[in-house]
Amino acid sequence: AAHSAFNDKNATDTSWLRSIRECEHEIRSSREFVETVRQDILGKRVFAFVADAADAGKTQILNLPKGATLLDAAYQVSPSVPESLLCGKINGRVVALNYELVNFDVISFVRSPYSPGPEPQWLDYAKVRSTKTKLKLYFRDKKRKLRLEKGWRIAQEYLRIQRRMKLTDRSQLKDLGLASIGFESPE
């Protein structure tokens, strides 16, 4: 059963375990081995546990770089977690998203459907590159949607004034032959 965790596609990255096995053959004393593992291998990582309230009794182990925050943990669990994230609890105590995780923290996320979602200051809270990348993509997509909506409103107003017509559907832009002014598609 233990070997099945290595085959599971959702299993935690085991590169740190391979590093331990490599050290095992190079080091002579057990004391030196323990010290090497603690400082060189585990000293660069943080192992935290996510208690899943939806599935009682199920715990996920996170393997994060040292300095990772609660926000980084949320993005590693699932991209949908941060969309409704308010704050988190570490070992039962409410903490902010910029809380720096330490080994053996037990994490639970406080979520709400009324959460505003990611905020620009979250980029300052993120310490893991993949979290920063996901946040940047989120904000870029959000800006794009806002620009498209603004363009739609401008086109509606222009056509209402210039052509005395009211648009009810974005596909009408294409039908009007507005490609010459940059409205090749509603997107």
Side-chain angles (χ1 to χ4, degrees), residues 52-114:
D52 187 355
D55 193 4
K58 185 175 181 183
T59 302
Q60 181 179 358
I61 300 172
L62 299 180
N63 176 1
L64 296 160
K66 191 169 189 115
T69 63
L70 179 64
L71 181 63
D72 296 316
Y75 271 98
Q76 186 169 355
V77 169
S78 168
S80 65
V81 170
E83 292 174 5
S84 60
L85 190 60
L86 295 174
C87 63
K89 289 183 179 182
I90 301 293
N91 304 322
R93 185 175 51 101
V94 176
V95 297
L97 297 177
N98 61 349
Y99 171 85
E100 190 174 313
L101 298 170
V102 296
N103 277 319
F104 310 117
D105 275 344
V106 178
I107 304 168
S108 59
F109 299 107
V110 178
R111 299 168 67 181
S112 169
Y114 304 107

Side-chain angles (χ1 to χ4, degrees), residues 8-20:
D8 185 13
K9 68 179 181 179
N10 295 323
T12 306
D13 179 29
T14 58
S15 60
W16 62 275
L17 188 57
R18 276 184 247 118
S19 299
I20 291 174

Side-chain angles (χ1 to χ4, degrees), residues 7-152:
N7 296 330
D8 185 13
K9 68 179 181 179
N10 295 323
T12 306
D13 179 29
T14 58
S15 60
W16 62 275
L17 188 57
R18 276 184 247 118
S19 299
I20 291 174
R21 285 187 179 170
E22 290 170 8
C23 288
E24 182 179 29
H25 300 294
E26 298 170 7
I27 299 171
R28 294 188 180 107
S29 75
S30 60
R31 184 179 303 262
E32 185 182 352
F33 175 74
V34 169
E35 192 62 30
T36 300
V37 168
R38 191 168 55 91
Q39 288 180 352
D40 295 346
I41 299 168
L42 298 180
K44 298 174 186 174
R45 308 298 299 172
V46 173
F47 294 91
F49 304 93
V50 178
D52 187 355
D55 193 4
K58 185 175 181 183
T59 302
Q60 181 179 358
I61 300 172
L62 299 180
N63 176 1
L64 296 160
K66 191 169 189 115
T69 63
L70 179 64
L71 181 63
D72 296 316
Y75 271 98
Q76 186 169 355
V77 169
S78 168
S80 65
V81 170
E83 292 174 5
S84 60
L85 190 60
L86 295 174
C87 63
K89 289 183 179 182
I90 301 293
N91 304 322
R93 185 175 51 101
V94 176
V95 297
L97 297 177
N98 61 349
Y99 171 85
E100 190 174 313
L101 298 170
V102 296
N103 277 319
F104 310 117
D105 275 344
V106 178
I107 304 168
S108 59
F109 299 107
V110 178
R111 299 168 67 181
S112 169
Y114 304 107
S115 168
E119 299 287 338
Q121 70 265 21
W122 287 15
L123 285 166
D124 296 331
Y125 301 163
K127 303 301 178 198
V128 176
R129 185 180 55 229
S130 63
T131 302
K132 289 182 180 188
T133 300
K134 289 172 187 173
L135 283 167
K136 288 176 185 176
L137 288 172
Y138 172 84
F139 293 126
R140 187 177 67 200
D141 289 346
K142 188 175 178 180
K143 280 183 182 178
R144 181 179 179 275
K145 288 176 185 174
L146 289 173
R147 285 193 303 266
L148 286 171
E149 189 57 39
K150 185 176 181 180
W152 169 245

